[in-house]
Amino acid sequence: MINELAGEVIVRVFYYVGNQIKKNAKPKDGSLEGVGEELHIASDSEFISLHDLESVELVQTKDFGLLVRAQAATSTVWFNVPRVFNMSGKPITINNPDATRRAAEILEPYVVA
């Protein structure tokens, strides 16, 4: 689910950092937050600024499904927006392509020309 509060984006994401994703890579759990200069991905152990976005694109991958590839001046972040279902008290997490597409649309205006 994507929340836009007073223009600020707040959404849970599973993300990977780097120019490429290794086939056996494990996603990190974090959140896409902020607006404009404050746009970032945060987790318990990391803070990745996205204020200097150079490009945003949707990429369909064989191993990870639909991902947003956000290229900033200092890093490349790949992420999707998960959907969590509670099945018999056990959470099941899947990719949420519609929300992932919406996250890409939200980021596009912040690409620095």
Side-chain angles (χ1 to χ4, degrees):
M1 176 188 234
I2 297 177
N3 295 319
E4 294 179 69
L5 303 173
E8 183 175 359
V9 178
I10 303 171
V11 62
R12 180 180 181 197
V13 296
F14 285 161
Y15 71 97
Y16 312 84
V17 180
N19 291 331
Q20 296 180 1
I21 306 171
K22 294 180 181 176
K23 188 173 183 172
N24 60 351
K26 300 282 187 236
K28 298 177 182 181
D29 194 346
S31 59
L32 174 64
E33 304 174 355
V35 64
E37 291 288 317
E38 301 299 320
L39 195 60
H40 63 275
I41 290 181
S43 70
D44 290 340
S45 61
E46 242 174 338
F47 181 93
I48 304 164
S49 176
L50 297 175
H51 78 277
D52 55 353
L53 278 175
E54 296 175 350
S55 67
V56 173
E57 64 181 317
L58 286 167
V59 179
Q60 183 65 46
T61 66
K62 179 181 173 186
D63 297 317
F64 304 102
L66 186 66
L67 297 174
V68 174
R69 180 182 175 274
Q71 174 71 48
T74 55
S75 63
T76 302
V77 180
W78 306 70
F79 69 88
N80 66 30
V81 178
R83 175 176 280 168
V84 180
F85 296 96
N86 234 341
M87 301 294 281
S88 302
K90 190 174 191 178
I92 305 293
T93 305
I94 63 169
N95 191 348
N96 185 340
D98 292 335
T100 299
R101 281 186 196 91
R102 178 71 181 122
E105 291 170 1
I106 290 169
L107 291 180
E108 285 175 354
Y110 299 111
V111 173
V112 178

